[in-house]
Amino acid sequence: MIIILDFGSQYTQLIARRIREHNVYCEIHPFNIPLSDIKAFNPKGIILSGGPSSVLGETSPSLDPEIFQWEIPILGICYGLQLMSKLLNGKVENSNHSEYGRTEIEIKTNNRFFNEIPSTTPLTVWMSHGDRVVEIPKGFEVLAASTNSPFAAVADTKRNLYGIQFHPEVTHTDKGIQILKNFVFDICESSPDWDMESFKEAKIKELAEQVGNEKVLCALSGGVDSTVTAVLLHKAIGDNLTCIFVDNGLLRKDEAKKVVALFEKHYQVNLVHIDASQTFWDKLKGISDPEQKRKIIGNEFIAIFEKEAKKLKGINYLAQGTLYPDVIESVSFKGPSAVIKSHHNVGGLPEDMKMSLVEPLRELFKDEVRELGLALGLDEELVFRHPFPGPGLGIRILGEVSQEKIKVLQEADQIVMEEIKAAGYYRQVWQSFAVLLPIRSVGVMGDARTYDWTIAIRCVSSKDAMTADWVQLPYDLLGKISNRIINEVQKINRVVYDITSKPPGTIEWE
Ligand code: XMP
């Protein structure tokens, strides 16, 4: 395995991801983990991440320099390079010429660190630093330089110590992945034999050790993240896991039944299933403002969760399906999802519950969670399901919510999902769903006049939900969806397709 010592860079997780993508196991640990623990991992290589501090500060994060005597290959990235230089008696200064963003570097020496990378043309790399190395430690040589950083890449090949001033893990850096591969494979001599299967096994073991014989509570939503969290924990601690699933009456058609069946029948998990539909419907009566609806749904969820959790005695841990994008604050994954996610993740738990958090997915990106779900044997249907907002159909029914409207929307939404799947679009798009517009328009069906509601179809492509575009679905597919909805769903006599991108629109209508 490769160990990354984290000095606080927003990119630390990305480094781990890039390495794992190449089938080498990699773990992130805080910079101040005891050296004996690092040694116990028996790593093939160590990466010192970047970080926001200055190595010149008196209290800045540091390391025991003994690590450099181990003869384990070490790569210092940005802050990591500066720290290594400082600790090995090189010199670091606050630079008058900070480098932020794209810079070109020239490769100066033929070294396996730059294997497979032509040295004839400059490399565009991504830098982000205020301090810079002005004198490299004894034994080091220059591998690459930029105008402002004469020591853009340096190495002491005898001790296998490498340092770079730029970030190889970001996509803006040319050949960045090749550089990481060169370090991991050519210098650390790792083998590409790690996969999600082994991650799963390692996580299960780690969770069992972390939690021991304590009891864990997990809030299930039926989405991929909480499902994978729960299944993983169940494998690790069995009956010491209890899940709470609050059915808010605003879920997709048959969703509650499916969640309960999966966990009660398939996994035999201790499941507290609260059908709170009526409570949510009652609270939403007469409310048509979107924000008010969101607040009511979020608060009610927390109130119910709290009440149920308090009934369970002796629980010391709360499990959450927090993913990497939720963790890094500096990458702004903002918008309504962030706020409501905290509802969903029970961010507002009362102080007196005093539970420690277990977040087994915090190093993973969404696609890795899906891969883990498959490794756990979860159905593809569940693993690849589209994101679904916490407030559910409550924000896909414009204006006031009623049971009748929920039923209508569930039927229409089911048809959209079936047809999108049948046409092979489901996995390609970010989300596809129906929205109910409870305004009435005139139509004619079987020679009779109708005066009914409208369904809008929304189908968007996106990478992270921050921006999205409407998908150019084929006309015959749209036609089929429209026909089916009008023929099969009572109360609907008109179907429209939403062709708004985000921005200026949002994905959800409310
Ligand atoms: P918008 O509508 O802001 O949605 O473009 C962006 C993404 O976030 C999802 N979304 C939510 N997810 N709770 C969630 O867990 C919410 O309240 C919420 N609102 C929106 C939305 O489905 C889309 O994928």
Side-chain angles (χ1 to χ4, degrees):
M1 91 157 74
I2 301 284
I3 295 283
I4 302 177
L5 295 182
D6 183 21
F7 290 91
S9 162
Q10 57 178 318
Y11 300 128
T12 305
Q13 302 281 346
L14 261 186
I15 310 172
R17 183 192 164 95
R18 298 277 177 258
I19 294 174
R20 295 201 301 245
E21 272 169 359
H22 290 90
N23 301 97
V24 173
Y25 188 54
C26 177
E27 271 185 15
I28 300 169
H29 290 277
F31 70 92
N32 52 2
I33 177 181
L35 285 197
S36 53
D37 288 6
I38 304 178
K39 213 164 201 170
F41 290 125
N42 194 17
K44 284 273 193 187
I46 297 167
I47 294 179
L48 313 179
S49 84
S53 319
S54 161
V55 289
L56 303 170
E58 288 201 352
T59 53
S60 45
S62 190
L63 261 184
D64 184 338
E66 187 204 311
I67 199 168
F68 301 113
Q69 313 304 331
W70 285 356
E71 294 181 3
I72 294 175
I74 296 181
L75 170 64
I77 297 178
C78 199
Y79 185 89
L81 159 71
Q82 293 158 8
L83 184 65
M84 181 155 65
S85 306
K86 182 182 150 195
L87 294 176
L88 293 172
N89 300 320
K91 215 165 164 195
V92 179
E93 274 181 2
N94 190 271
S95 170
N96 298 324
H97 304 280
S98 306
E99 281 176 298
Y100 293 105
R102 277 165 217 273
T103 305
E104 291 200 332
I105 60 163
E106 261 181 62
I107 297 176
K108 299 284 186 197
T109 330
N110 201 358
N111 184 288
R112 58 194 174 144
F113 191 70
F114 287 118
N115 274 350
E116 313 271 332
I117 300 172
S119 56
T120 41
T121 43
L123 279 184
T124 302
V125 300
W126 189 261
M127 297 229 193
S128 176
H129 65 109
D131 295 346
R132 63 176 188 158
V133 177
V134 287
E135 210 178 293
I136 45 179
K138 233 167 125 195
F140 275 71
E141 61 179 313
V142 176
L143 305 185
S146 75
T147 321
N148 286 329
S149 294
F151 307 118
V154 298
D156 175 340
T157 46
K158 274 214 188 89
R159 285 188 285 179
N160 261 333
L161 304 178
Y162 291 78
I164 45 184
Q165 188 53 74
F166 57 91
H167 289 276
E169 66 278 13
V170 303
T171 46
H172 309 281
T173 291
D174 269 353
K175 309 282 182 198
I177 292 180
Q178 185 63 47
I179 291 171
L180 281 176
K181 276 170 71 182
N182 291 345
F183 177 71
V184 169
F185 294 118
D186 299 344
I187 295 165
C188 301
E189 299 178 350
S190 305
S191 344
D193 52 12
W194 176 81
D195 56 15
M196 218 19 120
E197 193 58 43
S198 34
F199 178 83
K200 178 190 84 179
E201 296 301 331
K203 249 315 165 217
I204 291 173
K205 209 168 135 226
E206 182 192 312
L207 285 171
E209 279 165 14
Q210 181 190 357
V211 172
N213 279 328
E214 306 280 355
K215 290 194 162 40
V216 181
L217 183 63
C218 177
L220 267 190
S221 71
V224 191
D225 309 341
S226 66
T227 303
V228 170
T229 303
V231 172
L232 202 60
L233 269 161
H234 186 242
K235 289 208 190 286
I237 60 165
D239 276 352
N240 278 339
L241 171 72
T242 301
C243 294
I244 295 186
F245 168 57
V246 180
D247 178 355
N248 60 10
L250 302 164
L251 302 176
R252 282 177 284 212
K253 190 182 174 187
D254 295 332
E255 182 123 346
K257 270 193 229 151
K258 284 189 199 159
V259 173
V260 174
L262 179 81
F263 282 93
E264 272 189 349
K265 300 211 177 87
H266 202 58
Y267 292 107
Q268 289 98 41
V269 167
N270 297 325
L271 180 70
V272 181
H273 170 204
I274 316 289
D275 182 356
S277 306
Q278 195 61 51
T279 316
F280 281 87
W281 297 336
D282 290 347
K283 293 257 171 188
L284 287 169
K285 227 169 241 158
I287 310 291
S288 48
D289 175 68
E291 271 316 294
Q292 233 185 318
K293 287 200 286 182
R294 278 178 173 276
K295 283 203 181 94
I296 289 171
I297 298 167
N299 291 341
E300 199 48 39
F301 174 82
I302 290 180
I304 294 173
F305 188 89
E306 260 176 32
K307 200 172 114 203
E308 293 306 319
K310 275 188 175 159
K311 287 187 199 159
L312 305 164
K313 298 278 176 266
I315 297 213
N316 291 330
Y317 285 94
L318 177 74
Q320 291 190 166
T322 318
L323 304 195
Y324 167 58
D326 310 326
V327 175
I328 31 167
E329 289 142 359
S330 29
V331 173
S332 57
F333 191 84
K334 293 206 173 113
S337 53
V339 176
I340 303 298
K341 262 196 176 141
S342 62
H343 289 168
H344 233 208
N345 294 345
V346 208
L349 271 185
E351 282 281 298
D352 61 358
M353 287 182 67
K354 296 226 168 40
M355 290 197 262
S356 312
L357 281 184
V358 189
E359 297 176 308
L361 311 182
R362 46 180 302 132
E363 299 141 35
L364 303 185
F365 287 79
K366 191 90 184 175
D367 53 341
E368 290 182 313
V369 174
R370 293 198 157 121
E371 222 187 299
L372 179 59
L374 292 178
L376 285 163
L378 291 169
D379 274 356
E380 290 207 1
E381 189 193 326
L382 198 155
V383 165
F384 289 98
R385 71 192 347 187
H386 289 167
F388 189 67
L393 301 184
I395 53 161
R396 290 181 182 171
I397 292 167
L398 270 58
E400 190 180 349
V401 175
S402 70
Q403 273 169 270
E404 183 192 24
K405 290 175 190 164
I406 294 170
K407 183 96 191 40
V408 167
L409 182 55
Q410 281 176 335
E411 295 301 328
D413 189 62
Q414 178 70 18
I415 292 171
V416 173
M417 188 152 67
E418 281 171 12
E419 292 303 330
I420 292 279
K421 277 187 177 165
Y425 275 88
Y426 192 79
R427 291 245 197 130
Q428 291 175 37
V429 304
W430 174 265
Q431 259 172 325
S432 54
F433 54 90
V435 180
L436 178 63
L437 316 184
I439 42 161
R440 300 209 291 176
S441 71
V442 174
V444 54
M445 270 196 229
D447 295 332
R449 179 184 191 268
T450 58
Y451 189 45
D452 278 326
W453 293 328
T454 297
I455 283 287
I457 302 166
R458 185 83 165 127
C459 182
V460 296
S461 58
S462 176
K463 282 219 175 312
D464 51 12
M466 299 297 295
T467 57
D469 204 0
W470 60 281
V471 178
Q472 303 207 5
L473 292 177
Y475 286 163
D476 53 354
L477 173 59
L478 286 169
K480 197 161 175 202
I481 296 175
S482 163
N483 263 342
R484 277 197 63 195
I485 292 179
I486 289 171
N487 287 324
E488 295 173 33
V489 184
Q490 298 234 333
K491 283 272 186 182
I492 301 296
N493 68 348
R494 195 172 291 274
V495 173
V496 297
Y497 188 44
D498 180 354
I499 54 166
T500 321
S501 61
K502 172 183 180 173
T506 48
I507 296 176
E508 305 290 346
W509 276 44
E510 284 195 338

